[in-house]
Amino acid sequence: MNENNNVLIRCHELTKNYKKGNRLVTPLEKLDLEVKRGEFLALMGPSGSGKTTLLNLIAGIDQPSEGVLEVCGEDIGKLSRSKLARWRAAHVGYIFQLYHLVPVLTAFENVELPLLLSNMSRRDRRERVEHTLSLVGLDGRMHHYPKELSGGQEQRVAIARALVASPELLVADEPTGDLDREAADSVLQLLHQLVEEYDKTIVMVTHDPRAAERAGRLLHLEKGRLLETEAG
Amino acid sequence: MLPFGYAIRNLMRDPARLLQAVLGSGLVVLMVMIAAAINNGMVGVLSASGSAKNIILLGAGSEESVLRSEISDRTAGIAESSITGLEKQVDVRAVSPEIHQMSFIAIDSNDRKQAFMRGVTPRALLVHQGVSVQAGHYVRPGQVMVGRLAWRRLGLPEEALQPGAEIWVEGTPMTIAGIFAAPGTVMESEIWMDLNDLRSMSLREHLSCVVLRLDTGEFEDIDLFTKQRLDLELAALRESDYFAKIAAFYAPIRGMTWMTALLIATGALLGGLNTLYAAFAPRIREIATLQAIGFGRRAILFSLVQESTITTLCGALVASFVAIGLLDGIAVSFSIGSFILSVSPSVAMAGLMTGLGLGLVGAIPPGLRCLLPPLPSALRSAG
Ligand SMILES: Nc1ncnc2c1ncn2[C@@H]1O[C@H](COP(=O)(O)OP(=O)(O)OP(=O)(O)O)[C@@H](O)[C@H]1O
Ligand SMILES: [Mg+2]
């Protein structure tokens, strides 16, 4: 019982099909996976092996074709689109390779976005956004627009945005894929710190072995199946 | 909900496109305002022209056009003595024998225009009580009196039709005695002259009609009178019904103005949809990101609709200024008179509603095209 409570993500025989013309593509097939609270999991694998597909399923961006998918105590495979949107707002923060900041909003406003979905007062939101931005080391850049930031800074804003509503789970799709080594290291350091100090659970897709090293657990995906599990 | 500032700043992303969208929607709104103004003007002038207390006696079989009607000269006298309940002023009954016809007029002998002429006696003022002489005096033999909009209807400079000036009617020089007003009615575009002058000038023996004004009498009495005096070959029509028929006759033409406006509006709308799609399409990834964060489609669509509505309302504002500047006061002529376009509250409202409608409806198809693709592929798209 206790152990079950510790499981944040549970996939059982998780399958995802896409129709491509009259052909059926199966990026994920009967995948079993459990991720515990507070884990920092890295997913590696060749291009097209289904990493993003799995991440999207876990984050409630996509829905499975078959199998069980329980995340944060909810069977999200069966939620309606609008419920799934609300579930995402409450439980997951998504970090993208290309940051995906809204270009017309400042760093502050970008980070504030998820809080607009809560009924927090403006004042509380401001406090929370400022706190989160200082956590990622960007207190001095709050009113900069994305184009006025470096890639590493943009990714920190994106991490702050994923973090600000205090979700239990962060997912990251090649978060360092577009960064130089130095910026990548500091982003990884930040993610590591979030797991260690703030009890976040992180599932991170990466091609970078150095990034994988930072994670506590490493999984390889190959043609839609999990190949091996190693301790990091 | 997404902040309002998000919509505003998105608009400012591409000022050239914003301008294009504002002008495009302004054009649509302007078209609708023009159509509304024409319709209002035409319906207004026709409904103001007919009084329910006035009864027109005209030739049986010519009920739809006084211009084609011919009735006996004796009709006025017989009607006056047989019909009771007519309005009276100082013992003069409100009975106006009239000739209506189109005549050629000219200010110098070569430039001929067709004008609506009405041959009248001084009693015309008893039945057409909205008529008042504004300048000069009432028409006497050898003279004409011009409605205050006649110059517009005829395409003449206003100075050409001032009291004391001379105009040629069917080749005969006549002096303008005065200018009359009859606010909101077709009479303001007419030229009035003495009944006998017009009769001899046009070699007519007959009248076009006799207009009566009721006091206590009923239309039914007059209708009965026309049926008892079959020898006079008369039909009786309420003046208001007469103009209602004319209005009905013009309904297809009014429909055409709406159709034209609608066609142009549709063309502009399709162009506008393209513009909006072009504005939204590069934001597919951004819109997908907002969904990934947890914003619902409805909230995002609402923000997109805000964007487009702000744009189209700016367009409506531009259109209103253009309409007030260019449209207001223009005289539009049709066969029986002219009316002045005015940007009335209802015309402005039609424009505003069009702007609002364009914004609300216009953003939905391009908005949905951004919102409907599955999130995973939308997140992958270039942005
Ligand atoms: N919407 C879709 N329609 C059809 N096929 C898809 C779709 N999304 C993914 N696929 C296919 O599923 C497979 C896995 O894709 P996925 O994006 O998960 O790979 P990945 O491991 O993230 O690769 P990369 O390292 O290049 O990002 C690929 O073969 C891809 O073509
Ligand atoms: Mg991928």
Side-chain angles (χ1 to χ4, degrees):
Chain A
M1 221 39 213
N2 219 353
E3 216 175 340
N4 247 350
N5 264 346
N6 254 344
V7 175
L8 194 70
I9 302 169
R10 193 167 78 88
C11 310
H12 179 60
E13 303 210 325
L14 188 66
T15 301
K16 180 68 193 176
N17 301 317
Y18 288 109
K19 276 206 192 78
K20 224 173 199 174
N22 48 13
R23 227 159 38 87
L24 205 63
V25 187
T26 309
L28 286 184
E29 200 172 2
K30 297 202 167 170
L31 183 132
D32 291 324
L33 171 68
E34 285 194 351
V35 180
K36 295 201 183 67
R37 279 174 208 281
E39 263 193 300
F40 187 175
L41 171 69
L43 276 175
M44 293 189 83
S47 183
S49 57
K51 303 183 295 295
T52 300
T53 304
L54 178 58
L55 208 62
N56 283 342
L57 287 172
I58 290 172
I61 296 289
D62 206 352
Q63 293 207 286
S65 310
E66 273 169 55
V68 177
L69 176 58
E70 280 174 26
V71 185
C72 304
E74 185 98 44
D75 186 356
I76 62 167
K78 297 191 176 68
L79 289 183
S80 70
R81 222 184 137 110
S82 55
K83 278 190 180 147
L84 203 55
R86 255 170 278 151
W87 178 86
R88 286 195 297 268
H91 297 284
V92 214
Y94 203 126
I95 300 158
F96 302 91
Q97 177 178 356
L98 299 173
Y99 334 125
H100 292 201
L101 297 181
V102 177
V104 296
L105 301 182
T106 61
F108 181 95
E109 290 162 333
N110 265 285
V111 175
E112 191 185 21
L113 281 173
L115 299 183
L116 297 175
L117 293 163
S118 69
N119 40 20
M120 224 180 248
S121 74
R122 175 190 277 267
R123 195 194 160 137
D124 289 350
R125 289 201 305 264
R126 203 172 106 179
E127 220 160 79
R128 181 78 80 87
V129 171
E130 283 173 356
H131 173 255
T132 312
L133 275 169
S134 72
L135 179 72
V136 300
L138 282 177
D139 0 23
R141 295 279 189 280
M142 263 189 275
H143 302 294
H144 286 54
Y145 284 92
K147 64 171 184 289
E148 299 163 347
L149 298 172
S150 73
Q153 289 169 332
E154 278 193 80
Q155 192 60 298
R156 285 152 180 277
V157 175
I159 292 171
R161 184 177 68 185
L163 202 60
V164 73
S166 308
E168 300 153 88
L169 175 64
L170 295 179
V171 300
D173 197 350
E174 301 184 39
T176 58
D178 221 48
L179 299 179
D180 62 34
R181 194 164 161 152
E182 204 178 326
D185 281 345
S186 79
V187 161
L188 289 168
Q189 170 60 36
L190 177 60
L191 292 179
H192 189 75
Q193 182 193 354
L194 292 176
V195 175
E196 294 296 309
E197 291 173 30
Y198 296 87
D199 292 326
K200 300 294 172 194
T201 307
I202 297 183
V203 178
M204 173 179 74
V205 166
T206 184
H207 282 293
D208 177 3
R210 288 166 41 85
E213 258 171 43
R214 278 291 192 163
R217 182 181 169 200
L218 174 63
L219 289 177
H220 279 275
L221 256 179
E222 194 92 48
K223 290 182 187 156
R225 287 164 180 280
L226 285 173
L227 266 196
E228 52 188 284
T229 312
E230 298 172 1
Chain B
M1 275 235 289
L2 285 160
F4 188 60
Y6 175 64
I8 298 285
R9 280 187 229 164
N10 274 318
L11 284 173
M12 295 304 165
R13 276 185 188 187
D14 190 340
R17 183 154 55 207
L18 176 63
L19 188 70
Q20 185 189 340
V22 166
L23 294 182
S25 52
L27 183 67
V28 176
V29 171
L30 188 62
M31 283 299 140
V32 170
M33 289 178 85
I34 290 173
I38 289 177
N39 274 279
N40 282 1
M42 197 186 272
V43 171
V45 75
L46 288 174
S47 69
S49 293
S51 157
K53 286 183 86 179
N54 283 4
I55 311 298
I56 307 177
L57 292 176
L58 32 58
S62 337
E63 286 92 335
E64 69 285 350
S65 172
V66 176
L67 284 172
R68 249 175 290 155
S69 159
E70 292 204 329
I71 59 174
S72 160
D73 229 359
R74 300 180 298 141
T75 310
I78 298 172
E80 186 174 351
S81 53
S82 331
I83 299 169
T84 54
L86 296 179
E87 198 170 300
K88 257 197 282 188
Q89 277 181 22
V90 208
D91 270 351
V92 183
R93 286 170 208 262
V95 174
S96 169
E98 297 179 3
I99 293 177
H100 295 197
Q101 78 169 41
M102 304 299 291
S103 296
F104 284 108
I105 66 124
I107 38 174
D108 43 52
S109 44
N110 45 33
D111 187 21
R112 299 204 309 165
K113 314 256 187 197
Q114 250 201 337
F116 191 105
M117 306 294 298
R118 193 188 287 240
V120 292
T121 64
R123 289 201 197 183
L125 290 179
L126 296 182
V127 295
H128 304 297
Q129 294 186 349
V131 172
S132 61
V133 177
Q134 284 205 312
H137 57 79
Y138 193 75
V139 60
R140 291 176 198 149
Q143 300 176 330
V144 297
M145 180 169 79
V146 297
R148 64 175 174 179
L149 295 183
W151 62 277
R152 282 188 141 137
R153 160 106 169 93
L154 295 169
L156 293 171
E158 196 172 1
E159 312 81 70
L161 298 183
Q162 290 300 315
E166 197 160 83
I167 63 169
W168 298 71
V169 181
E170 299 286 0
T172 309
M174 306 199 84
T175 309
I176 296 176
I179 298 176
F180 68 94
T185 72
V186 293
M187 288 186 284
E188 292 196 299
S189 328
E190 297 177 357
I191 297 178
W192 285 16
M193 61 191 288
D194 180 73
L195 181 68
N196 289 319
D197 281 359
L198 186 56
R199 188 176 2 217
S200 56
M201 186 180 283
S202 57
L203 308 171
R204 291 172 72 129
E205 287 175 14
H206 299 291
L207 298 173
S208 300
C209 64
V210 172
V211 185
L212 314 167
R213 188 166 180 85
L214 294 176
D215 181 18
T216 55
E218 299 282 337
F219 170 74
E220 283 67 28
D221 303 336
I222 299 175
D223 198 40
L224 189 65
F225 162 77
T226 64
K227 280 165 184 149
Q228 283 165 345
R229 295 299 306 257
L230 289 173
D231 59 311
L232 293 172
E233 297 180 60
L234 291 177
L237 265 181
R238 281 192 186 88
E239 199 182 44
S240 51
D241 289 343
Y242 177 74
F243 282 103
K245 273 190 181 171
I246 294 179
F249 174 76
Y250 281 105
I253 290 177
R254 294 201 309 275
M256 290 276 283
T257 59
W258 276 119
M259 280 301 289
T260 312
L262 222 67
L263 281 177
I264 297 174
T266 310
L269 182 65
L270 292 179
L273 282 184
N274 249 334
T275 312
L276 278 176
Y277 186 61
F280 293 167
R283 278 153 55 192
I284 287 187
R285 195 183 78 180
E286 179 182 321
I287 287 167
T289 306
L290 292 173
Q291 291 190 76
I293 289 172
F295 285 95
R297 284 174 173 177
R298 238 175 286 167
I300 296 168
L301 192 60
F302 183 70
S303 181
L304 297 179
V305 166
Q306 275 181 345
E307 267 180 58
S308 67
T309 307
I310 293 166
T311 311
T312 55
L313 285 181
C314 288
L317 202 66
V318 171
S320 301
F321 281 123
V322 171
I324 289 168
L326 296 182
L327 211 58
D328 217 33
I330 287 185
V332 175
S333 294
F334 63 121
S335 67
I336 68 158
S338 36
F339 52 88
I340 297 196
L341 293 182
S342 95
V343 182
S344 61
S346 69
V347 170
M349 188 51 92
L352 188 72
M353 284 306 169
T354 306
L356 202 62
L358 279 179
L360 294 179
V361 176
I364 289 173
L368 287 182
R369 275 183 78 179
C370 293
L371 281 166
L372 289 184
L375 274 187
S377 46
L379 285 171
R380 258 201 316 270
S381 69

